[in-house]
Amino acid sequence: MTSPNPAVHHPSRRLKRLPLALLLAGSASWSLGHAAESETLQEAAPATSSTSKAKADSGRLETVTVTARRREESSQSVPTPISVVSGQALESQRVYRIQDLQQLVPSVNVAYMHARQSSVSIRGLGNNPASDGLEGSVGLYIDNVYLGRPGMAVFDLMDIEQLEVLRGPQGTLFGKNTTAGVININTRAPSFTPERSIEASVGEDGYFQTKGSISGPINDQLAGRLSVYRTRSDGDIRNEYDGHDLNGGARDGFRAQLLFKPNENFNLRWIGDYNEEDSSAGTRVLYSTGPTINGVNLYQSRATAAGATLVNGADRKVNLNGQQRVTVFQGGNSLEANWTLPNDFTLTSVSSYRWWNFTPRNDDGLNTTAYYNAGVSVEDKQWSQEIRLASPTGGFFDYVLGAYYFGSKLDNKSFNYYGPQADIWNGTATGALNNVTSIGNGHIETDSFALFAQGTWHLTERLDFTAGLRGSYEEKSAWVSRDAPIGGDAVTGAAANARRARAGAYDSGNLSQYSTSPSGLLNLSYRFTDDLLGYATLSHGEKSGGVNLAVGSAPTAGADSLLIGTERANNAELGFKSTLWDKRLQLNANLFWTQVNGYQTNAYDDANRVQYLTNAGSVRSRGVEVESTLIPVRGLTLNLNGSYNDVRYLSYKDAPCPPEVSLRPGAPASCDLTGHQVVGASKWIANANGEYKWNLDNGLEPYVTASYAFRSKAVGTVEDSAYGQIPSYAVVNLSTGLRGDFNQGQWDVSLWLKNAFDKTYYTTLWTASNGGYEGLLGTPRTLGVTGRYDF
């Protein structure tokens, strides 16, 4: 059991039969699993019109419009690495969660357990889940609204117009400053032309999803849009203790919109949304029991002493006698106004308010009771205001300037309900933790202010020079407390000392943090021909520090050790964008080199059994990214993208030690991880997909698709243990389907197979107690069908 084989296949996983009547309920158009048009290809017309078919059959790539620089322009004209995924591509690839995005674009990794324990990294930077007191290094935006928690994006992506991934420091054009990149999600806006869509999907393991949207005019000046979804699954991990399935559950949500457009010079868009989840998402399986030292495996020996029976996680099994559950409730409103001023200036205002509530119930991973329940619940509220002014284009100089305010208030509650086997499992003196309850609370308020500007000088017809500058000021005030422990037997001596250290009363008092963070960008681009653009960029980004909102989460004593310092990134890029072969081939590539000082990441405090945020010294990320789209013959679209990324600590001398070091007698208090790879960063990433479609004489359009996603091995946790490495893996998805027109609409039916070869793979690893490691398994082989009708 010391190192379960993660590559084992399990073709015997049971198939849950699905009633065929459900598959065909209602009018449905099917669009699952077939490969996306490409990160750089988007149909300009709706999928319901014959125009889109004509363009798809023309055998040439279409122009993709983006707003990465806060004005509409072709993605091939933007001199920065950017991947664009259309909403149609997300639908056809069955990508409906942010954590699946890494199978479509290069250099992106999503570490996901559940809504709180999730993070997004770009080029290996930003892997800091559970950051209650810290914003992410990768900025997540939906409809121009910054999401302060990565978990706010953990809902089903529905009715998406386009998704853009920008790599490298951002801030001279975006609301909140980020050091690693931005994922910008744009939903479909209300239309003054009636649009309706319904979709239903069913698959193995009780998977059932329905989605629908309706849009159209309310009067000549007002249009509306309503989108809803509902997703259910039984789960794909078997609990041997009671025979139930875990890692499934329910998600529901809706988005309502109004668009007021009295004339061509003004529009006002209101968006309100609500999402909820009640699931066992984030069920971790046993990946490794860690090292055996002097003939003793601490994880196994303590589990046996506590009366637990371990099972191999690679068999998609756990053995839990407690409940595994998370609930999430979130929602928000935003209001975006756009004015076209005299001389074609554009003024934009974006106002928003969001809230997010998360509550977990976590088992201890055993079929005996070391913990009845442990975890952290969170209540978060945020509000923001952004104002931007964009100058007209077409002259010698154009610019965008703006002001941004972001405020938030977050409260969390850390709880440990220890059980009768707590002392055995934790290695504490008898009576120290058995049946003890420990409750802690954290609070943080943030106020962030920024001014930003970016301008472009068109020095010649082909040569552009762009400069951007941002100044941010941020205030954070916080406190952390822990109540005196309750329950348990009266103890003295070693047991009392252990109880006091692990669960004693604590009050940090008021904690404050103030930071001023400058950011900047210099970019030179040259259009060698109409179809070849070259560029070079130097940029600097800074992200303010934060606070550990849990007692015992800091590696050293004292309230000041709860504070996390600023993260600063310097970035250089050299790249080109090209459209070749009579617009049948698009080829983009870039080199990058980023150095981050004060890198913010997660570590594990083995003594207190908690995760904590820390500044992990200096990090260097360097590599190359390539994206291409090819239409070799009419009807066939091939997409290939990938990245090589070497991400290492340049200096990390006070790092946590791996268990093969920390569990040995006389182990050092810290280790030097200088030169080690950064957690969660695969050196090689490759994604490929293709679609072939053809027309029959009766007007029907059959299609077949395939996609392949490869990721090389990665460090699983920050201490870089030999027992906590994520193996390389490749996932293949297949589908086939048929489209046709019916009653002024278009239907689509597809049969899809995700993870066709049933590869057992791990997306994230987690440091467990006693030197062990737990893992999050990727989706097993799943067969299903999807139906969609657009009319």
Side-chain angles (χ1 to χ4, degrees):
M1 284 294 296
T2 58
S3 184
N5 181 7
V8 177
H9 290 222
H10 305 283
S12 61
R13 187 174 56 87
R14 63 194 176 92
L15 171 64
K16 298 185 179 176
R17 300 297 180 184
L18 306 167
L20 184 61
L22 289 178
L23 310 184
L24 304 178
S27 306
S29 133
W30 308 71
S31 67
L32 173 71
H34 66 280
E37 268 74 355
S38 136
E39 288 81 10
T40 54
L41 175 63
Q42 179 187 7
E43 298 294 337
T48 55
S49 72
S50 59
T51 305
S52 66
K53 283 188 177 181
K55 291 188 176 182
D57 293 340
S58 69
R60 289 179 174 82
L61 298 170
E62 301 298 325
T63 299
V64 176
T65 300
V66 298
T67 57
R69 296 195 291 183
R70 296 318 196 193
R71 58 174 85 247
E72 292 188 356
E73 55 190 334
S74 165
S75 65
Q76 289 297 94
S77 299
V78 180
T80 189
I82 177 174
S83 299
V84 183
V85 184
S86 69
Q88 183 180 3
L90 294 173
E91 292 163 0
S92 63
Q93 282 279 48
R94 294 295 301 160
V95 172
Y96 58 89
R97 301 179 303 174
I98 194 73
Q99 53 265 39
D100 296 327
L101 183 63
Q102 60 191 25
Q103 295 186 16
L104 293 182
V105 297
S107 296
V108 172
N109 181 71
V110 181
Y112 171 79
M113 187 172 80
H114 49 55
R116 177 173 177 267
Q117 299 285 9
S118 60
S119 67
V120 181
S121 62
I122 293 179
R123 295 174 174 172
L125 306 174
N127 194 356
N128 46 6
S131 51
D132 293 340
L134 184 72
E135 290 81 31
S137 299
V138 175
L140 295 173
Y141 290 80
I142 184 165
D143 293 320
N144 293 322
V145 174
Y146 173 76
L147 306 180
R149 308 259 74 75
M152 289 181 172
V154 181
F155 52 81
D156 287 20
L157 299 174
M158 61 171 176
D159 216 16
I160 303 300
E161 180 67 31
Q162 188 166 280
L163 187 150
E164 303 162 3
V165 180
L166 289 83
R167 301 184 284 274
Q170 307 292 326
T172 59
L173 283 175
F174 277 86
K176 196 75 166 66
N177 201 18
T178 58
T179 51
V182 159
I183 296 179
N184 188 34
I185 303 170
N186 297 302
T187 66
R188 294 183 176 119
S191 170
F192 284 91
T193 301
E195 297 177 4
R196 288 153 293 182
S197 174
I198 56 174
E199 179 182 301
S201 301
V202 289
E204 293 181 71
D205 297 317
Y207 175 76
F208 181 65
Q209 182 187 64
T210 56
K211 296 192 295 186
S213 66
I214 183 171
S215 182
I218 297 174
N219 56 42
D220 292 342
Q221 299 180 344
L222 186 66
R225 191 176 196 96
L226 177 65
S227 308
V228 298
Y229 75 91
R230 181 182 179 89
T231 303
R232 297 287 186 274
S233 66
D234 294 338
D236 50 38
I237 295 175
R238 172 58 63 92
N239 186 1
E240 293 291 283
Y241 183 82
D242 58 14
H244 293 163
D245 291 330
L246 297 173
N247 214 38
R251 297 185 302 274
D252 306 274
F254 71 86
R255 181 186 304 115
Q257 302 185 61
L258 292 174
L259 176 63
F260 178 58
K261 191 174 181 180
N263 54 60
E264 292 301 317
N265 295 324
F266 175 75
N267 63 76
L268 182 68
R269 183 184 180 188
W270 168 80
I271 304 174
D273 67 87
Y274 174 80
N275 298 273
E276 65 178 39
E277 176 181 355
D278 186 352
S279 75
S280 54
T283 299
R284 296 174 288 187
V285 303
L286 178 60
Y287 176 78
S288 171
T289 57
T292 297
I293 299 174
N294 297 327
V296 177
N297 182 278
L298 190 62
Y299 190 102
Q300 287 182 323
S301 63
R302 287 185 175 173
T304 300
T309 302
L310 303 180
V311 297
N312 192 341
D315 293 331
R316 308 195 76 88
K317 294 179 180 179
V318 293
N319 197 11
L320 311 180
N321 70 329
Q323 189 176 11
Q324 183 69 37
R325 182 188 180 201
V326 297
T327 57
V328 183
F329 302 94
Q330 66 166 317
N333 289 269
S334 68
L335 193 64
E336 178 175 333
N338 292 279
W339 293 267
T340 300
L341 305 178
N343 299 320
D344 287 333
F345 282 84
T346 301
L347 180 64
T348 299
S349 170
V350 183
S351 310
S352 76
Y353 172 82
R354 299 199 62 82
W355 57 275
W356 184 77
N357 294 342
F358 170 85
T359 304
R361 183 173 180 85
N362 297 315
D363 186 78
D364 50 25
L366 308 174
N367 60 330
T368 58
T369 306
Y371 295 81
Y372 289 106
N373 187 15
V376 180
S377 60
V378 182
E379 294 184 0
D380 186 21
K381 301 178 180 65
Q382 69 166 64
W383 47 92
S384 63
Q385 175 63 52
E386 182 173 1
I387 297 177
R388 294 193 309 268
L389 178 67
S391 72
T393 59
F396 172 73
F397 176 66
D398 54 67
Y399 60 87
V400 174
L401 55 85
Y404 181 75
Y405 167 73
F406 174 84
S408 69
K409 181 182 295 185
L410 181 145
D411 292 279
N412 71 3
K413 177 182 178 181
S414 306
F415 49 88
N416 286 283
Y417 298 93
Y418 295 99
Q421 305 299 321
D423 288 320
I424 294 175
W425 185 238
N426 286 274
T428 49
T430 302
L433 299 177
N434 287 349
N435 298 312
V436 168
T437 296
S438 177
I439 303 293
N441 293 279
H443 173 85
I444 185 169
E445 296 185 30
T446 301
D447 287 292
S448 179
F449 307 85
L451 297 174
F452 57 88
Q454 182 168 306
T456 298
W457 289 263
H458 305 281
L459 303 178
T460 70
E461 186 177 346
R462 297 186 179 274
L463 180 65
D464 290 346
F465 173 70
T466 299
L469 185 64
R470 177 191 183 91
S472 299
Y473 174 73
E474 194 155 298
E475 298 178 353
K476 289 186 177 180
S477 58
W479 52 260
V480 184
S481 68
R482 184 168 60 198
D483 300 338
I486 60 175
D489 296 333
V491 291
T492 59
N497 291 335
R499 181 181 296 182
R500 188 180 307 111
R502 185 71 67 86
Y506 178 83
D507 190 344
S508 69
N510 293 326
L511 300 171
S512 298
Q513 193 175 67
Y514 307 93
S515 61
T516 301
S517 305
S519 300
L521 174 141
L522 297 175
N523 174 275
L524 198 64
S525 64
Y526 186 78
R527 185 165 292 283
F528 295 94
T529 69
D530 290 344
D531 296 321
L532 176 60
L533 174 71
Y535 61 88
T537 302
L538 295 174
S539 57
H540 173 80
E542 293 193 10
K543 186 165 72 72
S544 64
V547 181
N548 276 295
L549 294 184
V551 180
S553 62
T556 57
D560 288 345
S561 64
L562 296 171
L563 301 177
I564 308 303
T566 299
E567 181 177 276
R568 302 174 302 280
N570 295 311
N571 178 66
E573 294 172 352
L574 183 66
F576 71 87
K577 296 187 173 185
S578 63
T579 305
L580 310 170
W581 197 23
D582 193 25
K583 299 188 183 300
R584 294 177 182 270
L585 171 64
Q586 235 170 48
L587 178 62
N588 302 336
N590 64 278
L591 300 169
F592 63 89
W593 183 299
T594 305
Q595 180 169 329
V596 181
N597 297 316
Y599 180 62
Q600 299 164 341
T601 190
N602 249 11
Y604 182 72
D605 182 353
D606 187 64
N608 293 297
R609 305 288 176 91
V610 293
Q611 299 282 337
Y612 66 91
L613 290 165
T614 182
N615 291 105
S618 299
V619 169
R620 182 206 61 210
S621 173
R622 62 182 179 183
V624 59
E625 298 160 335
V626 179
E627 297 180 271
S628 64
T629 302
L630 172 65
I631 303 181
V633 297
R634 181 168 297 180
L636 176 61
T637 302
L638 302 175
N639 308 300
L640 176 65
N641 67 73
S643 58
Y644 169 79
N645 188 16
D646 183 22
V647 193
R648 297 184 181 274
Y649 297 109
L650 294 180
S651 176
Y652 193 9
K653 298 183 181 299
D654 189 24
C657 293
E660 54 265 41
V661 175
S662 63
L663 296 182
R664 292 187 179 277
S670 63
C671 289
D672 186 355
L673 292 184
T674 300
H676 286 235
Q677 275 190 275
V678 171
V679 57
S682 295
K683 186 173 287 187
W684 295 96
I685 295 175
N687 302 306
N689 59 68
E691 177 187 41
Y692 182 62
K693 55 189 177 183
W694 64 99
N695 294 318
L696 302 179
D697 293 339
N698 56 8
L700 298 178
E701 183 183 77
Y703 59 86
V704 292
T705 70
S707 66
Y708 172 89
F710 169 80
R711 305 180 76 84
S712 64
K713 68 177 183 178
V715 174
T717 56
V718 68
E719 65 270 15
D720 196 9
S721 169
Y723 299 87
Q725 304 291 310
I726 302 176
S728 62
Y729 66 88
V731 176
V732 174
N733 300 323
L734 305 171
S735 78
T736 183
L738 186 67
R739 304 185 185 103
D741 295 329
F742 174 75
N743 194 25
Q744 298 183 340
Q746 186 184 71
W747 58 267
D748 189 322
V749 178
S750 69
L751 176 70
W752 47 269
L753 184 64
K754 296 179 77 71
N755 191 4
F757 298 106
D758 204 20
K759 176 69 174 179
T760 299
Y761 64 99
Y762 293 84
T763 59
T764 307
L765 295 188
W766 199 255
T767 307
S769 303
N770 302 312
Y773 289 91
E774 297 170 332
L776 276 297
L777 285 165
T779 303
R781 180 169 57 204
T782 306
L783 177 68
V785 290
T786 298
R788 184 182 177 94
Y789 184 48
D790 296 285
F791 57 104

